[in-house]
Amino acid sequence: MLLSSNLLAEGQSRYISDNVFLYLLGGPGTEFRILGSIEAGQPVTLLNETQGDYSKIIDHKGREGWVQTNLISSTQSFREQVPALTTELAQAKAKLAEVLSSTDNHADEVTELKAKLSELETNLAKTTQERDELKVAVDRSAQDERFELWRQGGLIAGMGLILGIILMYLPRPQRRSKKRWM
């Protein structure tokens, strides 16, 4: 029975607890009285007093005492880092969600703009075709106008020629000679 519970626990992940603390001492050594305890990761202020393996500090509660120097670290503890990282992670997730939703909105806008673009291209093609047709009509109208002017000019010239011929063959009144008496 005991063997089977060990086999079950063997495959599961376990973690070592982070609830470690050290004692704040009244002096630089273990022979001094204990003033309290400080949990791992708590911020402390290091004073410039060191004796042997101990350094004088002020803890987060404002108590002044001594702790082993090798237990003081200059890097921020996980206790301080985790809340900041959690906040940063939440902000990053919020920004990501915002970007993803704006991307969806942008995709809708792109689809809308593509539809408008195709509509405008169709209108442009129609307008271009109408312009070309009107240009051809204007050219044809100008040619017709020139032809009409040539035709009218030809008619006027022909009528002038016929009138000239007719006038040439009309009998002319005789001139009276000056020698004659009236």
Side-chain angles (χ1 to χ4, degrees):
M1 198 64 122
L2 292 172
L3 186 60
S4 65
S5 66
N6 286 339
L7 290 175
L8 289 176
E10 195 174 288
Q12 296 177 349
S13 297
R14 297 287 185 238
Y15 303 96
I16 297 174
S17 176
D18 195 25
N19 293 331
V20 178
F21 65 91
L22 60 106
Y23 293 111
L24 182 66
L25 303 172
T30 55
E31 64 273 2
F32 292 94
R33 111 185 145 102
I34 297 174
L35 301 175
S37 64
I38 302 173
E39 290 183 17
Q42 287 291 337
V44 294
T45 304
L46 180 64
L47 302 176
N48 286 334
E49 283 187 52
T50 304
Q51 289 184 10
D53 292 338
Y54 291 87
S55 296
K56 194 171 189 180
I57 62 158
I58 299 176
D59 71 354
H60 65 284
K61 293 181 181 178
R63 299 177 294 188
E64 191 173 303
W66 294 81
V67 294
Q68 288 181 344
T69 304
N70 64 349
L71 298 177
I72 300 173
S73 174
S74 61
T75 60
Q76 195 177 31
S77 68
F78 289 122
R79 173 178 270 183
E80 298 292 321
Q81 289 177 3
V82 169
L85 291 175
T86 304
T87 305
E88 279 184 48
L89 179 62
Q91 290 173 350
K93 283 182 179 180
K95 284 182 183 179
L96 178 62
E98 182 181 319
V99 167
L100 289 175
S101 69
S102 70
T103 302
D104 292 341
N105 291 342
H106 291 309
D108 292 342
E109 287 177 16
V110 167
T111 304
E112 228 176 88
L113 290 174
K114 282 182 180 179
K116 285 182 182 180
L117 178 63
S118 67
E119 181 182 329
L120 290 174
E121 285 175 343
T122 304
N123 287 342
L124 177 63
K126 285 180 185 177
T127 306
T128 303
Q129 183 181 2
E130 288 176 8
R131 182 201 66 197
D132 292 344
E133 289 172 0
L134 289 174
K135 193 174 183 181
V136 168
V138 166
D139 290 344
R140 196 174 300 136
S141 169
Q143 286 177 351
D144 290 347
E145 188 177 320
R146 272 188 249 124
F147 176 75
E148 184 64 29
L149 287 175
W150 278 100
R151 191 177 64 82
Q152 288 176 359
L155 282 174
I156 291 172
M159 289 175 71
L161 181 66
I162 292 173
L163 185 64
I165 291 173
I166 292 175
L167 287 177
M168 232 171 143
Y169 287 109
L170 281 178
R172 292 185 186 188
Q174 297 280 329
R175 282 191 181 182
R176 291 185 187 185
S177 93
K178 292 185 183 182
K179 292 182 183 174
R180 208 173 138 206
W181 285 83
M182 289 200 97

